[in-house]
Amino acid sequence: GNFVLLGNYVDLFNMLGLPETTNVHDMGDAALKVCGDTDVPFPAKDHHTLSQNELCFVAAYAYETFVSGHGFDARVNFTTVTETTYNGATVSVGWQLGAMLYEIN
């Protein structure tokens, strides 16, 4: 399956240096690199605002949420989305869309 991620997950995946579409396994590998592998350079992005320890915590928490909380296996793909097209207009998406989807579900 393929799931869409919005909001802070987009920022997290960018800070981890992950592509727009990736799977749970690759996300976990990126989290491990940030959390403990001193031979791998820290992924720095222009919008980077977290320390390495903070990014480690957020990445590990997100990974465990996906695997232990939601039960996704390593092959599940995620696509991060920041905008979409609606009635011919480009619309930014974020937590608001997620909140609406949550409410109607």
Side-chain angles (χ1 to χ4, degrees):
N2 195 22
F3 290 84
V4 173
L5 298 178
L6 310 168
N8 288 333
Y9 286 115
V10 175
D11 294 335
L12 172 62
F13 277 45
N14 286 336
M15 285 186 266
L16 291 173
L18 294 168
E20 185 176 292
T21 298
T22 192
N23 59 45
V24 174
H25 179 267
D26 292 343
M27 189 265 183
D29 282 350
L32 281 174
K33 288 177 184 175
V34 169
C35 291
D37 193 342
T38 57
D39 294 333
V40 176
F42 183 62
K45 296 289 183 184
D46 293 337
H47 61 278
H48 180 71
T49 58
L50 299 177
S51 71
Q52 186 167 357
N53 288 337
E54 291 168 330
L55 182 56
C56 170
F57 174 80
V58 172
Y61 185 85
Y63 177 79
E64 282 302 318
T65 299
F66 293 148
V67 174
S68 299
H70 298 298
F72 293 130
D73 84 9
R75 297 170 303 210
V76 170
N77 288 323
F78 293 118
T79 300
T80 57
V81 177
T82 58
E83 57 186 31
T84 189
T85 303
Y86 179 75
N87 285 340
T90 300
V91 180
S92 294
V93 296
W95 68 267
Q96 302 90 338
L97 179 60
M100 287 187 291
L101 293 172
Y102 176 80
E103 289 298 324
I104 63 171
N105 196 358

